[in-house]
Protein backbone atom coordinates (compact mmCIF):
# COMPACT_ATOMS: atom_id res chain seq x y z
CA UNK A 1 0.00 0.00 0.00
CA UNK A 2 1.39 3.40 -0.90
CA UNK A 3 1.93 5.80 1.97
CA UNK A 4 -0.78 8.39 2.54
CA UNK A 5 1.67 11.07 3.50
CA UNK A 6 1.08 13.22 6.53
CA UNK A 7 3.33 15.92 7.76
CA UNK A 8 3.55 18.31 10.66
CA UNK A 9 7.35 18.40 10.69
CA UNK A 10 9.74 20.42 8.66
CA UNK A 11 13.46 20.43 8.24
CA UNK A 12 15.98 22.68 6.56
CA UNK A 13 17.13 21.10 3.33
CA UNK A 14 18.78 22.10 0.13
CA UNK A 15 16.52 22.71 -2.87
CA UNK A 16 17.51 21.82 -6.45
CA UNK A 17 19.02 25.25 -7.00
CA UNK A 18 21.11 24.99 -3.84
CA UNK A 19 19.10 27.29 -1.60
CA UNK A 20 18.34 26.00 1.90
CA UNK A 21 14.62 26.02 2.63
CA UNK A 22 12.23 24.45 5.11
CA UNK A 23 10.83 21.24 3.63
CA UNK A 24 7.97 19.23 5.04
CA UNK A 25 8.64 15.55 5.48
CA UNK A 26 6.26 12.69 6.01
CA UNK A 27 5.73 11.53 9.61
CA UNK A 28 5.15 7.97 8.42
CA UNK A 29 7.64 7.18 5.66
CA UNK A 30 10.06 10.07 6.05
CA UNK A 31 10.01 11.11 2.40
CA UNK A 32 10.56 14.78 1.75
CA UNK A 33 7.82 16.83 0.13
CA UNK A 34 8.47 18.68 -3.11
CA UNK A 35 8.13 22.41 -2.48
CA UNK A 36 9.41 23.59 -5.85
CA UNK A 37 7.17 25.06 -8.53
CA UNK A 38 7.92 21.93 -10.57
CA UNK A 39 4.83 20.17 -9.24
CA UNK A 40 3.93 16.66 -10.27
CA UNK A 41 0.55 15.94 -11.78
CA UNK A 42 -1.98 13.18 -11.34
CA UNK A 43 -1.97 10.31 -13.82
CA UNK A 44 -5.11 11.63 -15.52
CA UNK A 45 -3.06 14.46 -16.95
CA UNK A 46 -0.81 11.97 -18.73
CA UNK A 47 -3.70 9.88 -19.98
CA UNK A 48 -5.25 12.98 -21.54
CA UNK A 49 -1.86 13.79 -23.09
CA UNK A 50 -1.83 10.30 -24.52
CA UNK A 51 -5.21 10.67 -26.22
CA UNK A 52 -4.14 14.03 -27.55
CA UNK A 53 -0.98 12.45 -28.95
CA UNK A 54 -3.09 9.77 -30.58
CA UNK A 55 -5.24 12.39 -32.28
CA UNK A 56 -2.22 14.37 -33.52
CA UNK A 57 -0.68 11.22 -34.98
CA UNK A 58 -3.96 10.22 -36.58
CA UNK A 59 -4.14 13.60 -38.32
CA UNK A 60 -0.65 12.87 -39.63
CA UNK A 61 -1.70 9.48 -40.95
CA UNK A 62 -0.22 7.28 -38.22
CA UNK A 63 -2.74 5.11 -36.47
CA UNK A 64 -2.15 4.26 -32.82
CA UNK A 65 -4.17 1.24 -31.75
CA UNK A 66 -6.34 0.94 -28.68
CA UNK A 67 -4.03 -1.87 -27.52
CA UNK A 68 -0.97 0.39 -27.64
CA UNK A 69 -2.76 3.02 -25.57
CA UNK A 70 -3.88 0.39 -23.07
CA UNK A 71 -0.36 -0.99 -22.70
CA UNK A 72 1.10 2.46 -22.07
CA UNK A 73 -1.62 3.36 -19.57
CA UNK A 74 -1.13 0.04 -17.82
CA UNK A 75 2.63 0.46 -17.60
CA UNK A 76 2.36 4.03 -16.30
CA UNK A 77 -0.11 3.07 -13.60
CA UNK A 78 2.03 0.11 -12.56
CA UNK A 79 4.99 2.36 -11.79
CA UNK A 80 4.94 2.83 -8.06
CA UNK A 81 4.95 6.47 -6.99
CA UNK A 82 4.46 7.72 -10.56
CA UNK A 83 1.76 10.12 -9.44
CA UNK A 84 2.79 10.51 -5.83
CA UNK A 85 2.58 14.28 -6.01
CA UNK A 86 3.86 14.57 -2.45
CA UNK A 87 7.43 14.41 -3.72
CA UNK A 88 7.58 13.73 -7.47
CA UNK A 89 8.37 16.57 -9.87
CA UNK A 90 6.73 17.13 -13.24
CA UNK A 91 10.20 16.94 -14.84
CA UNK A 92 10.70 13.43 -13.49
CA UNK A 93 7.22 12.38 -14.60
CA UNK A 94 7.94 13.70 -18.09
CA UNK A 95 11.10 11.60 -18.35
CA UNK A 96 9.20 8.49 -17.29
CA UNK A 97 6.25 9.23 -19.59
CA UNK A 98 8.51 9.80 -22.59
CA UNK A 99 10.52 6.62 -22.08
CA UNK A 100 7.37 4.50 -21.59
CA UNK A 101 5.51 5.94 -24.59
CA UNK A 102 8.53 5.51 -26.86
CA UNK A 103 8.64 1.81 -26.08
CA UNK A 104 5.29 1.43 -27.83
CA UNK A 105 5.02 4.27 -30.32
CA UNK A 106 7.75 5.62 -32.58
CA UNK A 107 7.51 9.31 -31.87
CA UNK A 108 10.05 11.99 -31.25
CA UNK A 109 10.83 13.29 -27.79
CA UNK A 110 10.03 16.78 -29.09
CA UNK A 111 6.48 15.85 -29.98
CA UNK A 112 5.95 14.22 -26.58
CA UNK A 113 7.36 17.27 -24.81
CA UNK A 114 5.00 19.54 -26.70
CA UNK A 115 2.00 17.33 -25.96
CA UNK A 116 2.86 17.48 -22.25
CA UNK A 117 3.72 21.13 -22.02
CA UNK A 118 1.03 22.85 -24.00
CA UNK A 119 -1.61 24.58 -21.96
CA UNK A 120 -4.85 22.73 -22.42
CA UNK A 121 -7.33 21.15 -20.09
ZN1 LIG B 1 4.70 9.04 3.63
Amino acid sequence: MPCVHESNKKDWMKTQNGIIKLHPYCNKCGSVGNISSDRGKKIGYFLIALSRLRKILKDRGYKVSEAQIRLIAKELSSIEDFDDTWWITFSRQKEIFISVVRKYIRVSTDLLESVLNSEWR
Side-chain angles (χ1 to χ4, degrees), residues 62-77:
Y62 178 92
K63 200 172 176 312
V64 177
S65 71
E66 196 60 55
Q68 279 168 294
I69 297 289
R70 256 203 316 271
L71 284 168
I72 295 166
K74 196 177 158 204
E75 181 155 344
L76 285 177
S77 42

Side-chain angles (χ1 to χ4, degrees), residues 2 7 13 24 56 59 63 70 81 89 92 106 113 116:
S7 176
M13 277 172 239
I56 292 170
D59 293 345
K63 200 172 176 312
R70 256 203 316 271
D81 297 346
T89 60
R92 181 72 193 117
R106 288 166 189 263
E113 290 258 0
L116 285 176

Side-chain angles (χ1 to χ4, degrees), residues 3-6 26 28-31 86:
C3 179
V4 181
H5 308 295
E6 253 178 43
C26 178
K28 296 180 195 162
C29 70
S31 68
W86 165 251

Side-chain angles (χ1 to χ4, degrees), residues 35-50:
I35 58 163
S36 74
S37 55
D38 185 8
R39 308 288 306 167
K41 297 184 190 296
K42 282 299 187 187
I43 196 159
Y45 183 92
F46 298 91
L47 299 180
I48 293 167
L50 206 51

